[in-house]
Amino acid sequence: MRKKLIKRSERPVCPETGGHFKAKWGDNLNAERLAIFAEMPSLAASQDLFINVMLNDNCKNPNTQLPNQVAAVTEFRKLIEAYFDMIGLSDVNQFLTEMLSAAIGPDPRSGKHKPITIANALYDVNNIISLLTKTKLLANEETFQRYAINLGFHLKAVGQFDVEHLSELLYVGLNAYIFQEDDFEGATLKFSAEITAAYKMIYDWLSDCDAWCNAVECDEYNETAGLAATP
């Protein structure tokens, strides 16, 4: 399970809005402040300037630039964090590896699983498919593309995934994992290469997403600690 560095309830509270500080004040610019900007013509330009600065290619630390205006980014992060709250990356690797092993060759473990193990495997596969489906839509939004372009993490890769085909391959692996016939001699080299590449692509993307979330949380923790220490 991925460790949370600091609980939201333990973060310092902004005296003006009642909201919790995350990183810099600018990162926590919320809907209430945007409404104030909209009602004050003299500050309208400041709103546009802030958004442009946060989204341009010269962000000082793009890993922590998560303005609330970029809804696709914040929603993307919520989905990733919710997913890894349910399952750790090492567990993802384990069940993908077991399904892959069953799909490409004889596996003595296949067809001998308890009902709870089968239910968990189906749950895990459906969660991955749901995550890919939802994040693909967000990753293809222009604001998300502009945010992710300078990141070392390939978050937007999911935008190019053929989710329907990947779903088929995940269910092929799941089916082999649960119901592999005793006389199964193995898949063809072509299919073995295809499904291996697909599973690796999914895992590599999930690994990048997990690393990104951990990096953001670490930066938020450090900056929140700095705010708390400021007299």
Side-chain angles (χ1 to χ4, degrees), residues 32-97:
E32 294 177 15
R33 294 189 183 279
L34 285 179
I36 294 173
F37 276 139
E39 294 172 3
M40 301 175 65
S42 61
L43 294 179
S46 299
Q47 175 185 352
D48 293 335
L49 176 61
F50 176 82
I51 294 174
N52 288 334
V53 169
M54 296 296 279
L55 292 177
N56 68 20
D57 294 344
N58 299 314
C59 288
K60 182 178 180 181
N61 187 354
N63 291 343
T64 59
Q65 303 304 314
L66 294 171
N68 289 336
Q69 296 92 334
V70 187
V73 176
T74 53
E75 184 62 25
F76 188 97
R77 183 182 174 191
K78 289 178 183 178
L79 289 170
I80 296 300
E81 289 184 333
Y83 178 77
F84 283 115
D85 280 343
M86 294 186 294
I87 185 170
L89 188 63
S90 61
D91 295 320
V92 174
N93 180 57
Q94 180 179 341
F95 85 76
L96 283 176
T97 300

Side-chain angles (χ1 to χ4, degrees), residues 6 24 34 40 54 71 79 89 91 95 120 123 132 136 146 151 163 172 183 185 201 219 221:
I6 184 170
K24 302 184 184 70
L34 285 179
M40 301 175 65
M54 296 296 279
L79 289 170
L89 188 63
D91 295 320
F95 85 76
N120 287 339
Y123 179 74
L132 295 178
K136 178 176 181 176
R146 292 170 64 184
L151 291 181
V163 177
V172 166
D183 59 352
E185 296 181 356
M201 182 170 63
D219 287 332
Y221 174 83

Side-chain angles (χ1 to χ4, degrees), residues 154-207:
H154 301 104
L155 306 182
K156 62 182 182 178
V158 69
Q160 303 301 317
F161 286 2
D162 183 343
V163 177
E164 183 176 356
H165 184 57
L166 290 177
S167 299
E168 291 178 359
L169 293 177
L170 285 169
Y171 280 121
V172 166
L174 179 64
N175 185 70
Y177 174 72
I178 300 173
F179 303 112
Q180 187 183 94
E181 300 293 335
D182 291 336
D183 59 352
F184 179 65
E185 296 181 356
T188 64
L189 289 177
K190 181 179 180 180
F191 179 75
S192 296
E194 178 186 4
I195 194 170
T196 299
Y199 282 25
K200 183 179 185 302
M201 182 170 63
I202 293 172
Y203 177 79
D204 287 347
W205 176 75
L206 286 171
S207 180

